[in-house]
Amino acid sequence: MANNKKRNPSQQETDISSHDTLTEEQQLELLQKYDPESNTRNLTGFFKIIVFAGLLAFSLFQLYTSIGTQFTAYIQRSVHLGFALSLIFLLFPAVKKPGVKRNKVPFYDILLALLAVAVGLYWPLFYNDLVYRVGRVSEMDMFIGIVAILLTLEAARRAVGLPITIISVVFIIYAFFGRHFPGFLAHRGQDLESLVQLLFFTTDGILGTPISVSATFIFVFLLFGAFLVKTGVGNYFNDLAVVLAGRLTGGPAKVAIFSSALQGTISGSSVANVVGSGSYTIPMMKKLGYRKEFAGGVEAAASTGGQIMPPIMGAAAFLMVEFIGGVTYWEIAKAAAIPALLYFTGIWIMTHFEAKRVGLQGMSPEEMPDRKATLKKIYLLLPIVGIIVFLLLGVPTMKAALYGIVLTIVVSFFDKATRLGFKDIIEALVDGARTALAVAAATACAGIIVGVVVKTGLGLSLANGLVSAAGGNILLTLIFTMLAAIVLGMGSPTTANYVITSTIAAPAIILLLMGGEMGADTTVPVVIAISAHLFVFYFGIIADITPPVALAAFAASGISGGDPIKTGVNSAKLAIAAFIIPYMFVFNPALLMIDASLLEIVWVTFTAIVGMIAIGAGMIGYWYRKCYWIERIIIVATGLLLIFPETITDVVGLGMFALLLAIQLKTKDKNNKNKVAVAS
């Protein structure tokens, strides 16, 4: 094996230095390269004070509206938008090239920030007049509305990236020129006045459901995450993961999986998750002997899985509650629990088999943190446990997040090292608001897409088109929807890609599961709605690790030094569960724990895990010994039989699994003896 070769001292020193954890500066450089949300100016002087005060005021406004009296929808959302847009233009440069000064704000961005303030204040200042003449747009309304649309698009480009901006522009063009589109895509088209009215003077556009969720649930949970980070919980996740998994076979890879699953409960970004935990875990994996691309793939796959990990799920769960309607946040989190468990189980199994194949052991005792000292700080997880308990007890979602913030502050006083002072609390409020800027821009831009879809009926038209292209076949429809979700999700953050995919792709699945009968007044059963929305959500998320646009994998390759495309291929292979699980819960909703008995849930989970073991062994090519190609094909087929939700396939699959396992156990010693004989 390569990791056992003798090396000269200078070579050894070079390799060891290459395994050092990334510095904060290196982490920031990676984030700015692959994560648009982190590519901000490093302001000094007057503008630094202005932005700091603006971010603090943003958080205080949001806390006031969540604790005290709610403003009307238009005022609440437009002020939220105004804060976000104005701060984005001060913080995010228009051009993100090396050598461009980042410590000053150019005059044109000052002008754009002032225009954003005017947009944010327009509804509060003229609320009565605007409500009184609803449906009629004045010249000033037209000017403000057009400015609001343009500012939203530009802010999303800077803070979120080009993909969502381009998609939004395409939808605006579609709204204008609908009569020129062919077939089922055709509609009568919109003029400028009606489009501006739709997008800024109704709650179906920029000020619609997506930004409503950003201005309420998402912001408070992002604040909760910022307070958790201030207590040092991120580093504690790493230490706890090492204590629990470090000594196991291929320990560092399992540490990455465990740590990333925990980080995912407070992180809203796959890339941020990769850089945060990967700068610690990837060097450990390389040091142990994992290939660069495999080490980066493990971290990218695990970090991306953080977005589907309850209870927070990258904030998309809150949007799901609003989009589906008639469901609680807890129902969404509960439905996502078993699929998330299967996802991480799949990655865990494959890293285990890879470690066995290569002959990698766990971490040495000298590399492990102090077990007692680490477990002594387990209280840092109490706020996360508290959030889950509050939700389980039926506490409203926003209140649960607020209680979580208070609990975090209280828990921080358990130890002097984690204690939050007044300065820490202020910094947490500022950090939370900074994190919310990109989310606000993404949801505002997504509102444009939703508004056009609602106005033109595109959602149902596309659903009919997809179903028709698939010939009414449910499996083909799911495959087409999967491809659409992956493409639409490329380069978009969690919240934005869910809004896009749920608006465009989910209706196709719902239409088919409803038997092709679906109108404006049709009530969609909860189990169908949740399975369809989770399906597109999953595939929108794994776009982050699906080449060619695999931002999480590219960020991981920046840490590992591996090839970005190969890292993406490895991460997609490790996350194979994410390509299978959505089909499982569409065909068998027992995995979502909806309308199913405990026995059904246990059985389908058991067969799925056994199936993942088989698929993992087949994909890696190692079980208790090296697997030959024909064995690998048979083992993967066995896993697919176990995963497919039918009694007959379960019975046949379990029988084949038992037979294959017996063959592996019977021949493993012989295989090892042959390897020793060849070596000698």
Side-chain angles (χ1 to χ4, degrees):
M1 292 180 294
N3 53 310
N4 288 335
K5 289 181 180 177
K6 289 184 178 181
R7 297 168 292 181
N8 62 54
S10 61
Q11 178 67 39
Q12 193 169 357
E13 282 179 16
T14 303
D15 285 351
I16 290 173
S17 68
S18 71
H19 294 313
D20 289 343
T21 304
L22 268 66
T23 64
E24 287 188 12
E25 290 77 12
Q26 290 172 319
Q27 290 183 40
L28 181 60
E29 185 179 341
L30 263 180
L31 280 171
Q32 289 183 339
K33 184 175 181 180
Y34 294 109
D35 185 16
E37 299 175 27
S38 303
N39 205 345
T40 58
R41 294 183 173 112
N42 185 22
L43 297 174
T44 57
F46 174 73
F47 281 106
K48 182 178 180 179
I49 297 171
I50 289 293
V51 169
F52 183 90
L55 291 168
L56 181 59
F58 193 11
S59 277
L60 292 176
F61 168 77
Q62 292 296 150
L63 282 176
Y64 173 75
T65 56
S66 60
I67 297 169
T69 305
Q70 287 276 335
F71 291 110
T72 63
Y74 286 111
I75 293 176
Q76 165 85 5
R77 299 171 195 180
S78 63
V79 172
H80 180 82
L81 178 70
F83 265 119
L85 295 183
S86 58
L87 289 165
I88 284 171
F89 289 120
L90 295 178
L91 266 175
F92 291 80
V95 180
K96 300 173 183 177
K97 292 181 180 178
V100 177
K101 288 186 178 181
R102 290 175 176 266
N103 60 347
K104 293 182 180 179
V105 182
F107 75 93
Y108 55 83
D109 277 348
I110 297 173
L111 176 61
L112 292 176
L114 291 173
L115 283 172
V117 171
V119 165
L121 291 176
Y122 195 70
W123 265 103
L125 291 175
F126 302 101
Y127 178 77
N128 291 331
D129 185 40
L130 290 169
V131 170
Y132 177 75
R133 53 184 175 81
V134 63
R136 290 180 288 122
V137 181
S138 68
E139 289 184 4
M140 180 58 74
D141 294 344
M142 282 291 293
F143 173 75
I144 292 293
I146 291 171
V147 168
I149 294 167
L150 294 176
L151 291 180
T152 296
L153 292 170
E154 172 60 10
R157 183 191 70 82
R158 295 189 186 194
V160 184
L162 266 176
I164 190 172
T165 311
I166 292 171
I167 292 171
S168 299
V169 170
V170 168
F171 271 75
I172 290 174
I173 293 170
Y174 175 71
F176 272 122
F177 302 104
R179 62 172 59 90
H180 301 293
F181 280 77
F184 66 87
L185 292 175
H187 66 93
R188 66 180 183 179
Q190 304 291 316
D191 58 31
L192 181 62
E193 183 176 320
S194 62
L195 189 63
V196 169
Q197 182 186 352
L198 168 73
L199 295 184
F200 193 68
F201 295 99
T202 71
T203 53
D204 285 328
I206 292 172
L207 303 181
T209 299
I211 204 168
S212 167
V213 178
S214 172
T216 51
F217 306 120
I218 294 177
F219 194 100
V220 183
F221 269 88
L222 290 175
L223 274 184
F224 169 66
F227 274 88
L228 271 180
V229 169
K230 275 295 173 184
T231 65
V233 75
N235 292 330
Y236 180 69
F237 283 158
N238 291 333
D239 290 341
L240 181 62
V242 172
V243 165
L244 295 177
R247 296 295 300 276
L248 302 175
T249 301
K254 292 173 181 176
V255 168
I257 297 166
F258 201 101
S259 174
S260 296
L262 291 171
Q263 294 277 11
T265 63
I266 60 172
S267 170
S269 165
S270 300
V271 174
N273 209 356
V274 166
V275 175
S277 59
S279 62
Y280 176 74
T281 59
I282 290 175
M284 285 198 303
M285 285 188 268
K286 287 172 61 183
K287 186 176 182 181
L288 186 66
Y290 279 108
R291 292 173 288 116
K292 293 177 181 179
E293 287 81 9
F294 191 87
V298 170
E299 181 57 52
S303 290
T304 300
Q307 308 306 294
I308 58 175
M309 185 71 179
I312 298 179
M313 295 171 59
F318 310 116
L319 284 163
M320 228 174 274
V321 172
E322 297 296 319
F323 276 35
I324 293 174
V327 298
T328 64
Y329 173 80
W330 178 249
E331 286 178 284
I332 299 292
K334 184 181 74 170
I338 292 178
L341 170 68
L342 293 176
Y343 178 88
F344 283 104
T345 299
I347 301 174
W348 184 286
I349 288 166
M350 292 176 74
T351 54
H352 176 78
F353 287 144
E354 173 71 7
K356 296 287 283 185
R357 184 184 72 83
V358 181
L360 305 179
Q361 301 302 312
M363 298 169 67
S364 66
E366 294 76 24
E367 295 173 302
M368 300 286 289
D370 185 276
R371 186 180 183 86
K372 285 186 178 179
T374 301
L375 294 178
K376 188 178 176 182
K377 289 186 176 181
I378 197 75
Y379 63 84
L380 287 172
L381 300 183
L382 280 175
I384 297 173
V385 175
I387 286 274
I388 296 171
V389 172
F390 294 144
L391 293 170
L392 189 58
L393 293 175
V395 175
T397 308
M398 281 181 66
K399 295 294 181 186
L402 289 170
Y403 295 159
I405 292 172
V406 173
L407 186 57
T408 304
I409 296 171
V410 171
V411 163
S412 75
F413 279 84
F414 289 5
D415 190 314
K416 188 177 180 181
T418 60
R419 192 171 300 160
L420 295 180
F422 180 74
K423 181 182 177 183
D424 295 317
I425 292 173
I426 296 298
E427 287 177 353
L429 291 170
V430 170
D431 291 344
R434 186 187 295 263
T435 307
L437 295 180
V439 177
T443 50
C445 207
I448 294 174
I449 298 168
V450 174
V452 172
V453 169
V454 169
K455 189 71 173 178
T456 61
L458 179 63
L460 195 54
S461 297
L462 279 175
N464 284 315
L466 279 173
V467 172
S468 177
N473 182 286
I474 180 67
L475 183 59
L476 271 180
T477 301
L478 291 174
I479 291 171
F480 289 159
T481 307
M482 172 191 75
L483 295 174
I486 290 175
V487 171
L488 291 168
M490 286 180 176
S492 297
T494 306
T495 47
N497 76 37
Y498 168 68
V499 170
I500 296 168
T501 55
S502 64
T503 305
I504 297 172
I509 302 173
I510 294 172
L511 180 67
L512 203 56
L513 293 178
M514 291 287 290
E517 296 179 5
M518 188 176 157
D521 300 325
T522 304
T523 301
V524 180
V526 169
V527 65
I528 289 178
I530 291 181
S531 60
H533 281 257
L534 279 177
F535 184 92
V536 297
F537 173 59
Y538 257 70
F539 287 113
I541 291 297
I542 61 172
D544 279 349
I545 52 171
T546 306
V549 186
L551 293 182
F554 289 178
S557 70
I559 301 172
S560 70
D563 180 84
I565 296 296
K566 289 181 180 178
T567 302
V569 170
N570 272 280
S571 61
K573 183 174 77 171
L574 286 163
I576 188 67
F579 292 90
I580 298 171
I581 292 166
Y583 290 90
M584 291 171 60
F585 59 63
V586 169
F587 286 114
N588 191 347
L591 273 176
L592 304 178
M593 294 190 280
I594 303 173
D595 297 335
S597 66
L598 179 60
L599 184 61
E600 286 178 300
I601 293 168
V602 171
W603 177 253
V604 75
T605 304
F606 166 71
T607 55
I609 290 175
V610 175
M612 287 311 307
I613 292 172
I615 288 174
M619 294 291 289
I620 295 298
Y622 191 94
W623 198 346
Y624 285 93
R625 60 165 173 77
K626 181 181 177 181
C627 302
Y628 303 106
W629 273 106
I630 187 66
E631 280 184 297
R632 294 177 69 173
I633 294 169
I634 295 170
I635 291 170
V636 170
T638 299
L640 292 173
L641 283 173
L642 284 163
I643 284 172
F644 192 77
E646 291 288 343
T647 304
I648 184 65
T649 56
D650 287 346
V651 171
V652 174
L654 285 172
M656 290 178 64
F657 183 88
L659 178 62
L660 290 165
L661 179 60
I663 293 171
Q664 285 278 322
L665 292 171
K666 183 73 175 174
T667 57
K668 69 170 183 173
D669 293 332
K670 182 180 178 181
N671 188 266
N672 289 334
K673 285 177 184 177
N674 289 339
K675 284 201 295 186
V676 171
V678 170
S680 61

